[in-house]
Amino acid sequence: MKDTSLLLLLSVLFCCSTNSARLTVTPSSSQVFAGEPVSLRCEDGWTVRRNTSIGNRTQCGDWGRSAGSSCTIDFMLPRESGVYWCESTEGSTSNTTTITVSESCPPCDEGR
């Protein structure tokens, strides 16, 4: 009976560990302005992907600078608004984050 309980516990831990992957976005706001950079990070071995008006389920190397499980977009454009997430090689996915890129930059006009 002990062996079965231990096996069940290990199965649950292994099963659910892939679902705990998280996409971390910097800056943490889901609203960014055109021209701002955004950094996206997954856990090791996971790939950053996105769905936008210009492509679905594309990976970072197609639209950003990929470095391992991280992705940097140096200059966000409004057409890059969409849903971003991490995906494992087995097809498991993390949480999703919707990023909206505004064309105007109201804070930029304050000092004028």
Side-chain angles (χ1 to χ4, degrees):
M1 188 61 99
K2 260 184 174 177
D3 292 336
T4 305
S5 298
L6 180 59
L7 183 59
L8 179 61
L9 176 62
L10 291 174
S11 297
V12 168
L13 290 174
F14 177 74
C15 157
C16 300
S17 66
T18 58
N19 294 332
S20 65
R22 299 226 28 102
L23 172 67
T24 304
V25 182
T26 306
S28 60
S29 174
S30 61
Q31 174 76 43
V32 298
F33 294 105
E36 290 184 327
V38 171
S39 176
L40 305 114
R41 184 171 191 336
C42 298
E43 293 183 25
D44 288 340
W46 291 62
T47 302
V48 179
R49 293 193 181 272
R50 73 179 186 182
N51 284 343
T52 65
S53 63
I54 56 175
N56 289 325
R57 209 173 162 270
T58 56
Q59 63 185 16
C60 174
D62 297 340
W63 39 264
R65 282 189 298 116
S66 181
S69 294
S70 295
C71 184
T72 302
I73 305 170
D74 293 319
F75 194 93
M76 289 291 285
L77 298 171
R79 67 179 184 229
E80 293 178 294
S81 295
V83 178
Y84 292 75
W85 72 93
C86 299
E87 191 170 303
S88 72
T89 54
E90 294 83 25
S92 296
T93 58
S94 69
N95 61 308
T96 60
T97 298
T98 300
I99 297 176
T100 304
V101 184
S102 296
E103 287 192 39
S104 63
C105 180
C108 298
D109 297 331
E110 289 177 4
R112 295 181 186 177

